[in-house]
Amino acid sequence: MQAIVTSNLTKKYGELAAVDNLNLSVAKGELFSLLGVNGAGKTTTIKMLSCLIAPTSGDAVILGDSITARPQAVKKKINISPQETAVAENLSVRENLELIAGLYGQNAAAAKAGAGRMAEQFGFNDILKKKAKKLSGGMQRRLSIALALITSPEILFLDEPTLGLDVLARRELWHLIKGLKGKVTIILTTHYLEEAEALSDHVGVMAKGKLSAVGTPVELMAQTGTAKLEDAFIVLNGGLL
Amino acid sequence: MKILLFSKRNIKEILRDPLNLAFGLGFPLAMLAILTIVNKNIPADAGKPVFAIENLAPGLAMFGTVFMSLFAGMLIAKDRSLAYLSRLFVSPLTSKDFLIGYSVPLFVIAAAQGMITLFASLICGLAFTAWLFLAVVVTAFVSVLFIALGLLCGSVLSDKAVGGFCGALFTNLAGWLSGVFIPLELIGGGFKAVCGVLPFYHGVEAIKDVLSGDLIGMLPHLGIVLAYAAVIYIVAVFAFRKKMRAG
């Protein structure tokens, strides 16, 4: 079953097409990475799919609901961890988790239980009372993803989730993301190609707002005659190896 | 339920910032103490006291509400810059939920601040009457002007620019053009006429009138403040919704 199907999804800013007639399918439960250089249209695509911005033309159907016709229905099924950490700084870890759960309609008891579950899964038990602004960058990122997961989304958008993290924190997050595979459909954007190679079921390469290639990491490497996804990405973008 | 949760979060974000407490609450109280001391040290033969508590208390109650623009503006601008607002825009919250959730907490904080300033004025010689309680309510309504300004600034400016506009520009405008720091009668002329067109002076007069029990006299002053507030609020709603659509 397809979780996301886009048809000629387009976003224009004046004459500039940030996303240009994107046609994409993502199967339920898979981790799909959107790759591309800066300005390729990855974040704009995620913003449209998460109903943050309206497309100029075209549409996307998320688990049966159109992002243009039924955005409120779509919003109940998805969540996002934006590029920035996006936490409420003066709220504790527990308060952050319970707030987001409540905003998605969970009652106080369910929100509390959800916060406990997230604390267990993400290792927050010792820092539940700590204010978010006092957390390390790595822990803020973890909290950001936990905030997206506490609402039990069917589709999770991770926009450069490991940006600015040290290698240990990044590998910890990889471990967490791998644990979600199969349970949640994940759309990931990243500039770290080894991350995409390690985590993705399928990869879409975007250039100038268009989808220039799509396949499994192995398929893309075979298509370009390369041994690493990073090299395949460079070839697909017309760069020099 | 969602609005209540979001409102509670906003109150916590504002009140857990020690700078907000220092400026929003401490500054009007410090001004009250300083100007009361200044007033007591003006020689009796200088005539009518410049900072009589009957004028100073409503003036500082109005002046305190200017910080609501700083609180609202900083909160929204920070939510934008940290992408917290993006996270919330993806949630099922509607634009109505956002606007109520940002505005109501500030109305409540303004009422609390007005109450503290006016009741602290009792120590400085303000006579206690039952009108004091209604003055707190009127102060909260005057704050809607500054809440609207904060919503507007937070929607269109960066958090640094909000600090400049709401923290410096509006506090000075509200302080100097309302007669809080310099009684307008002492200057008169064109300056007084300009102050009469702007809402700040009317905010002070509305609170002053209600403190003296002159409800009929209070209504036109409060009406002018609320008219300004309504226009700015409509522009702020438009700007905020535009930001929402822009993601």
Side-chain angles (χ1 to χ4, degrees):
Chain A
M1 184 190 170
Q2 299 302 315
I4 300 172
V5 180
T6 73
S7 36
N8 298 320
L9 192 67
T10 301
K11 183 67 186 179
K12 285 186 175 177
Y13 294 101
E15 290 299 305
L16 178 77
V19 176
D20 192 1
N21 286 298
L22 183 71
N23 291 297
L24 178 72
S25 290
V26 179
K28 201 172 177 186
E30 77 168 322
L31 193 151
F32 188 98
S33 289
L34 268 180
L35 305 181
V37 296
N38 287 331
K42 311 181 297 289
T43 296
T44 306
T45 301
I46 282 198
K47 281 184 171 181
M48 285 192 283
L49 295 177
S50 57
C51 305
L52 266 174
I53 54 174
T56 308
S57 60
D59 200 358
V61 174
I62 309 263
L63 295 166
D65 286 307
S66 153
I67 59 166
T68 55
R70 291 174 51 82
Q72 284 301 113
V74 171
K75 284 180 172 192
K76 288 177 185 164
K77 301 174 188 172
I78 64 168
N79 214 324
I80 188 170
S81 177
Q83 263 181 36
E84 301 83 352
T85 45
V87 296
E89 288 191 318
N90 282 321
L91 263 55
S92 70
V93 171
R94 177 183 285 284
E95 286 170 334
N96 262 289
L97 290 164
E98 290 182 1
L99 170 67
I100 295 296
L103 294 181
Y104 278 76
Q106 294 180 23
N107 63 30
K112 195 174 177 185
R117 222 173 37 247
M118 289 297 123
E120 201 64 46
Q121 186 177 350
F122 284 82
F124 295 150
N125 278 326
D126 295 335
I127 55 160
L128 274 171
K129 289 181 182 170
K130 206 169 180 179
K131 280 186 187 172
K133 68 178 174 187
K134 300 266 173 77
L135 301 177
S136 67
M139 284 312 262
Q140 285 192 352
R141 286 271 172 199
R142 289 167 83 103
L143 177 57
S144 180
I145 295 173
L147 290 176
L149 280 171
I150 195 168
T151 63
S152 304
E154 293 176 74
I155 298 177
L156 174 65
F157 295 97
L158 298 175
D159 196 2
E160 303 195 25
T162 59
L163 188 71
L165 294 187
D166 62 48
V167 68
L168 290 179
R170 183 176 302 158
R171 286 301 172 102
E172 278 183 17
L173 264 184
W174 285 15
H175 182 70
L176 275 171
I177 293 167
K178 277 181 181 170
L180 299 171
K181 284 178 68 172
K183 300 171 196 159
V184 184
T185 307
I186 300 173
I187 308 296
L188 172 85
T189 73
T190 181
H191 280 295
Y192 302 112
L193 277 298
E194 78 278 15
E195 183 167 292
E197 189 172 342
L199 299 175
S200 310
D201 298 308
H202 283 90
V203 171
V205 179
M206 290 188 76
K208 295 177 181 172
K210 289 178 183 290
L211 195 64
S212 57
V214 69
T216 65
V218 172
E219 284 169 352
L220 293 180
M221 287 185 276
Q223 183 185 328
T224 52
T226 53
K228 288 192 295 183
L229 183 62
E230 184 167 328
D231 291 340
F233 176 79
I234 290 169
V235 170
L236 287 166
N237 276 282
L240 295 173
L241 284 178
Chain B
M1 180 66 179
K2 282 185 290 183
I3 294 176
L4 186 66
L5 286 170
F6 185 51
S7 299
K8 277 167 73 176
R9 174 263 168 176
N10 291 335
I11 285 187
K12 284 177 186 169
E13 283 282 351
I14 293 166
L15 295 184
R16 286 179 183 176
D17 187 333
L19 277 179
N20 283 346
L21 285 178
F23 277 97
L25 201 63
F27 197 62
L29 290 178
M31 292 298 295
L32 179 68
I34 291 166
L35 295 178
T36 302
I37 292 167
V38 168
N39 202 44
K40 283 186 176 165
N41 285 286
I42 294 173
D45 55 5
K48 193 180 175 187
V50 177
F51 298 118
I53 193 66
E54 294 76 21
N55 299 325
L56 189 58
L60 288 176
M62 186 288 296
F63 182 68
T65 64
V66 76
F67 291 100
M68 298 309 119
S69 69
L70 185 65
F71 296 167
M74 288 298 280
L75 182 62
I76 296 171
K78 264 192 163 182
D79 281 352
R80 278 174 46 221
S81 69
L82 297 172
Y84 193 68
L85 210 46
S86 293
R87 182 186 291 288
L88 297 178
F89 283 166
V90 173
S91 79
L93 284 176
T94 63
S95 56
K96 186 187 78 182
D97 297 334
F98 280 109
L99 291 163
I100 296 173
Y102 276 126
S103 304
V104 170
L106 289 157
F107 189 84
V108 173
I109 292 172
Q113 188 198 46
M115 188 158 69
I116 290 167
T117 305
L118 289 170
F119 277 79
S121 300
L122 296 174
I123 301 166
C124 301
L126 184 72
F128 177 80
T129 67
W131 295 115
L132 207 64
F133 295 100
L134 192 55
V136 170
V137 176
V138 172
T139 303
F141 276 100
V142 169
S143 78
V144 177
L145 169 73
F146 296 107
I147 294 169
L149 280 169
L151 286 177
L152 178 60
C153 289
S155 299
V156 298
L157 301 173
S158 68
D159 49 351
K160 281 182 184 169
V162 165
F165 268 85
C166 301
L169 181 65
F170 295 155
T171 48
N172 275 294
L173 286 177
W176 297 110
L177 301 180
S178 63
V180 176
F181 298 147
I182 303 175
L184 300 184
E185 287 72 22
L186 286 181
I187 302 172
F191 183 78
K192 190 180 176 186
V194 169
C195 293
V197 174
L198 295 170
F200 314 114
Y201 164 75
H202 296 287
V204 178
E205 290 302 303
I207 301 168
K208 196 192 293 182
D209 282 346
V210 77
L211 269 176
S212 63
D214 182 6
L215 295 186
I216 301 297
M218 176 267 288
L219 285 175
H221 292 300
L222 188 60
I224 291 170
V225 175
L226 291 179
Y228 267 97
V231 171
I232 298 166
Y233 209 92
I234 289 166
V235 177
V237 168
F238 179 77
F240 188 82
R241 284 190 162 168
K242 197 174 172 192
K243 279 285 174 213
M244 265 189 99
R245 283 196 298 272

